[in-house]
Amino acid sequence: MRDFLSAKGYIEVQTPILANLAGGAVARAFDTEAVEFPERHIQLRTAPELWLKRLVLGGLEKVFEIGQCFRNEGLDKTHNPEFTTCEFYCAYTGLKEMIEYSELLFTELIDRTKERFAEQLKSLPPCTIDSTSPFRRLDFIPEIESAMNLEFPDLQSPDAEAEVIKMFQARDIPLPSSSRLPRLLDRLAAQYLEPQCQSPTWIIHHPECLSPLSKSFISPTNQRIAARAELFIGGKEIVNTYEEENSPFEQRRKFEMQAQYRDDENRMDIDESYLEALEWGLPPTSGWGCGIDRLVMLLAGTDRINDVLTFGNLRNVVSLGKSGRDSVRSSS
């Protein structure tokens, strides 16, 4: 992946992990403190996105980072609070080009993996992912409406949340723990779209409330939808890409919209410093993100994130630390 991006002229950078505000993702951040700034709130980043876009604002038209992110959320077979991502941003590029880049990259990755398994890793099950492009596409709202045989309300309306809950009730679908509109829509996607994505498949044009950092437009059915696409393989999200919102006025509106849906996991505040940076003028830009741990799981043919982490997930790491302290106490 690094070679692919470098060959296309992208510059690799490192951006801060600690900052006063963790932005760039709808996720709960880890809070900490610094002895140098005892009065200030410090968080570990949940994504490098806003830092990388600042670099595009500063004149780096092609930039990427492979690094660690932290989200203070659940732990299961495919999620770990500490994980590795690759994100890249390209000025003067649209969603169409990002999808084409992705399909080229993944076709190459999958084909190389198949060759490596056939030549050097013969004891492992072969990689059977179909890398034929173009990949299938599912349009978020029409596909769910067709599967449920129900129509969404105007998702910008004040009663949209209540109306979507009625859709859940009409089809006897359990509500998520947080019944805010973005969580409801995520649950419907998990129920009706993601199971269709065993071979490489794009889910495109998400509702605007699911993509507060993305450009959006009005669909033919008068819903506000994002210029966004997610690549799923084996029923799991591998890539998220979208055209970046570059209007400081629209971005403020979307930050304010996101604040309306705050819950235990979405605690993202309005990032005034990023809005100020946008006022300098972000060129038309598209961004791309991929979870490296999940990508390695996919290519290695395992469904457990523990299998691709050197010391396992956070539960394993914490247990190792505890066993070490216990052995020290017993020896003393």
Side-chain angles (χ1 to χ4, degrees):
M1 188 174 288
R2 178 177 278 115
D3 291 344
F4 179 89
L5 293 171
S6 296
K8 290 190 173 297
Y10 286 81
I11 298 172
E12 185 171 10
V13 297
Q14 289 184 324
T15 61
I17 288 176
L18 292 171
N20 67 315
L21 184 63
V26 180
R28 180 191 294 178
F30 281 94
D31 297 308
T32 186
E33 57 186 27
V35 294
E36 287 292 330
F37 315 107
E39 74 290 352
R40 293 190 184 180
H41 183 65
I42 304 292
Q43 293 184 325
L44 276 70
R45 73 178 181 192
T46 55
E49 175 168 349
L50 300 186
W51 294 109
L52 292 170
K53 286 195 281 191
R54 283 178 169 91
L55 293 175
V56 178
L57 276 161
L60 293 179
E61 293 184 359
K62 290 184 172 184
V63 63
F64 79 99
E65 179 173 9
I66 297 174
Q68 299 299 101
C69 293
F70 307 85
R71 298 183 185 179
N72 195 3
E73 298 174 350
L75 197 162
D76 59 30
K77 286 174 62 177
T78 61
H79 294 87
N80 190 49
E82 178 182 358
F83 57 99
T84 305
T85 65
C86 173
E87 291 197 14
F88 70 81
Y89 293 83
C90 185
Y92 310 108
T93 301
L95 186 63
K96 178 177 178 290
E97 290 84 1
M98 299 304 270
I99 289 176
E100 291 172 353
Y101 270 10
S102 301
E103 295 188 356
L104 181 63
L105 170 61
F106 273 82
T107 297
E108 187 173 323
L109 277 173
I110 293 167
D111 290 347
R112 282 194 185 184
T113 299
K114 289 179 178 179
E115 290 174 7
R116 182 65 60 87
F117 273 50
E119 295 171 1
Q120 301 178 21
L121 303 172
K122 297 178 181 180
S123 62
L124 297 177
C127 178
T128 59
I129 303 167
D130 181 6
S131 60
T132 306
S133 61
F135 301 159
R136 182 184 178 209
R137 300 185 189 186
L138 300 176
D139 204 316
F140 192 107
I141 291 177
E143 289 288 341
I144 292 179
E145 289 180 332
S146 175
M148 297 185 75
N149 198 26
L150 294 170
E151 288 189 5
F152 280 110
D154 176 1
L155 295 175
Q156 297 295 119
S157 67
D159 61 348
E161 201 165 80
E163 292 299 316
V164 173
I165 288 174
K166 291 179 182 178
M167 295 174 69
F168 274 71
Q169 295 166 342
R171 295 294 178 261
D172 294 322
I173 303 171
L175 292 170
S177 57
S178 170
S179 296
R180 305 317 307 266
L181 184 59
R183 303 299 177 191
L184 294 170
L185 296 171
D186 266 338
R187 175 61 61 85
L188 291 178
Q191 176 97 3
Y192 292 107
L193 301 183
E194 294 173 17
Q196 300 184 51
C197 303
Q198 297 308 307
S199 61
T201 302
W202 292 102
I203 297 176
I204 62 173
H205 299 157
H206 304 61
E208 183 186 68
C209 66
L210 289 176
S211 307
L213 294 168
S214 168
K215 275 193 171 297
S216 53
F217 58 96
I218 305 296
S219 74
T221 56
N222 290 319
Q223 297 279 15
R224 289 193 68 90
I225 58 177
R228 176 187 178 191
E230 289 181 296
L231 177 61
F232 281 76
I233 307 176
K236 297 180 178 63
E237 180 198 346
I238 304 298
V239 165
N240 184 28
T241 182
Y242 50 79
E243 295 179 15
E244 307 292 338
E245 181 56 73
N246 60 349
S247 162
F249 310 106
E250 275 294 285
Q251 188 60 78
R252 179 177 293 279
R253 178 184 68 80
K254 292 173 182 179
F255 277 155
E256 291 171 350
M257 173 189 67
Q258 185 180 21
Q260 296 174 11
Y261 300 123
R262 285 173 64 91
D263 57 23
D264 286 344
E265 292 188 6
N266 172 25
R267 299 182 179 182
M268 192 171 171
D269 293 317
I270 295 175
D271 190 332
E272 295 291 348
S273 68
Y274 177 65
L275 291 172
E276 182 180 352
L278 279 184
E279 293 178 2
W280 289 92
L282 177 68
T285 299
S286 290
W288 185 98
C290 173
I292 299 298
D293 310 309
R294 193 172 288 185
L295 174 61
V296 175
M297 288 170 58
L298 171 73
L299 297 176
T302 179
D303 61 358
R304 288 164 36 91
I305 196 168
N306 271 14
D307 295 338
V308 301
L309 298 175
T310 309
F311 291 99
N313 64 23
L314 183 61
R315 183 176 290 112
N316 302 120
V317 172
V318 170
S319 297
L320 285 171
K322 182 177 181 300
S323 62
R325 289 195 301 273
D326 290 345
S327 63
V328 170
R329 290 193 190 101
S330 61
S331 63
S332 60

